Amino acid sequence: MSLSDTSRFLIADSLDSFPAELRGGIVAIGNFDGVHRGHRAVLDAAMGLGHGTHHPVFAMSFEPHPRTVFNPARPVFRLTPPDQKIGMLRVCGLNGALILPFTKDFAGMEANAFVQDILIDTLGISHAVTGYDFHFGKARQGTPDYLRAAGANHGFGVTIVQREEDEGAEVISSSRIRDCLAEGDIAQANGLLGYRWFFDADVRHGDKRGRDLGYPTANLSLSEDCPLKQGIYAVKVKVGETWHEGVASYGRRPTFDNGAATFEVHLFDFAGDLYGQTLRVHLIAYLRGEEKFDSVDALVAQMDQDSAEARAALAALQPISEIDTQLLDLTP
């Protein structure tokens, strides 16, 4: 089965879109926000079970986050929005992936209906792989033990993957990574992810002040619920199929207008028009917090220093995993 076929990687409105080629396969089930090292332990277990067999291996996930559905006034920031999650699951080497809508009706489904209607009747699975904390069905009645028993009763295998811990024996979780981003601890966030966190955003028109300062920037907007700490970052940016290095400022520009937060990227050694293009921005290092300067000259002097530090951080860049190598095109 060719992994190049994107038709098996879907953000679907319903299970009616489930590709027939994946029926009878091994399914990894989870939220997978961030597709971090803990999630990849689940995916790796599924792929290990499929190795040497005729069974396709695919992931099934859900959007939006359950807490967002039940408390829309406080949405949960997504490390990987649906399109990025699909892309990450594809990079992991699966044969397919399906992201389904999570609704209150779906949450109210009885656990036995989830097993019978979805896992058996629609997906026809041969094996289910989930994390230790995965629950499903009304009132979260579908526990890992429930799933094991259901598998034994209905003739499909079940593997429950235990918690994945970091080098300090702390559990790896999406919420912990969000906290790291909010604290400006990009090194820790990237270490837990196993790749450099990234986002996609369209370039929009700004006040063009950067040109006057000798630092033209591409102006990007992050989602309102993004917790990323405001400050200066070393970044690697993909424009179309071309990679560029740069330095970025995320904040309200306190030296000038203290306006709405904007992510402004200055690409080193670049000349061209980026308006209307979509950039993929990987955060490589957090350099410092946002500051207010007494003069433009003082600001430019600091920007010169920031650029030098960003170049140094980028020059020292080493892949932290095979996925990081693929995402950043770091192959020698």
Side-chain angles (χ1 to χ4, degrees):
M1 184 176 292
S2 172
L3 295 181
S4 62
D5 187 351
T6 58
S7 66
R8 288 189 292 271
F9 292 81
L10 305 172
I11 302 171
D13 292 330
S14 71
L15 281 165
D16 294 340
S17 302
F18 180 66
E21 311 96 291
L22 299 178
R23 185 173 170 81
I26 298 166
V27 60
I29 313 172
N31 192 275
F32 300 130
D33 183 34
V35 196
H36 56 58
R37 286 163 50 191
H39 297 145
R40 294 204 298 280
V42 175
L43 302 175
D44 288 347
M47 289 189 288
L49 288 165
H51 183 70
T53 75
H54 66 280
H55 296 298
V57 181
F58 65 98
M60 182 168 65
S61 186
F62 312 93
E63 290 289 346
H65 194 284
R67 293 208 309 269
T68 297
V69 171
F70 290 104
N71 189 6
R74 299 186 63 186
V76 176
F77 173 71
R78 307 307 267 157
L79 295 167
T80 45
D83 55 341
Q84 293 177 16
K85 185 193 292 187
I86 280 286
M88 286 296 302
L89 292 170
R90 191 161 180 260
V91 168
C92 288
L94 299 167
N95 298 118
L98 187 67
I99 297 181
L100 295 170
F102 185 90
T103 64
K104 290 184 179 180
D105 286 343
F106 181 83
M109 177 184 292
E110 298 289 341
N112 64 330
F114 179 88
V115 171
Q116 185 65 55
D117 298 347
I118 295 179
L119 299 186
I120 298 173
D121 294 345
T122 302
L123 307 185
I125 67 167
S126 59
H127 204 106
V129 183
T130 70
Y132 70 99
D133 56 352
F134 177 71
H135 291 72
F136 61 94
K138 185 177 181 180
R140 292 168 57 86
Q141 61 193 214
T143 65
D145 285 341
Y146 180 97
L147 187 60
R148 284 193 187 96
N153 289 334
H154 293 284
F156 61 84
V158 174
T159 297
I160 305 299
V161 178
Q162 297 308 305
R163 55 185 266 169
E164 186 79 2
E165 297 178 342
D166 67 5
E167 293 71 17
E170 292 187 65
V171 67
I172 297 172
S173 69
S174 300
S175 59
R176 188 175 165 206
I177 295 167
R178 294 186 197 101
D179 290 343
C180 288
L181 292 177
E183 294 163 2
D185 193 348
I186 299 305
Q188 177 82 295
N190 290 343
L192 296 174
L193 286 165
Y195 62 89
R196 271 71 178 197
W197 183 69
F198 64 89
F199 64 89
D200 296 330
D202 296 332
V203 179
R204 58 182 180 81
H205 286 276
D207 54 25
K208 300 178 175 60
R209 186 180 291 116
R211 294 180 183 177
D212 298 332
L213 302 178
Y215 283 91
T217 60
N219 295 285
L220 312 172
S221 292
L222 302 186
S223 63
E224 292 183 1
D225 59 352
C226 180
L228 182 65
K229 184 175 182 177
Q230 295 180 10
I232 311 301
Y233 294 86
V235 295
K236 191 167 181 181
V237 180
K238 193 173 187 181
V239 183
E241 296 301 317
T242 305
W243 286 99
H244 301 274
E245 296 181 340
V247 63
S249 171
Y250 178 48
R252 302 180 181 280
R253 303 161 305 283
T255 302
F256 297 104
D257 58 7
N258 204 34
T262 301
F263 198 97
E264 300 177 82
V265 179
H266 171 69
L267 300 181
F268 299 139
D269 310 314
F270 175 83
D273 185 0
L274 294 173
Y275 291 121
Q277 296 197 54
T278 299
L279 307 188
R280 171 158 290 185
V281 181
H282 289 255
L283 302 189
I284 305 304
Y286 175 81
L287 303 180
R288 64 173 177 86
E290 190 174 42
E291 300 177 38
K292 182 176 182 178
F293 293 88
D294 294 332
S295 68
V296 171
D297 287 344
L299 171 61
V300 172
Q302 181 62 59
M303 293 168 70
D304 291 342
Q305 182 177 332
D306 294 337
S307 294
E309 292 183 9
R311 287 182 185 273
L314 290 158
L317 182 63
Q318 295 292 327
I320 54 180
S321 71
E322 176 57 33
I323 285 182
D324 194 48
T325 298
Q326 293 182 57
L327 291 174
L328 286 172
D329 193 21
L330 295 175
T331 303

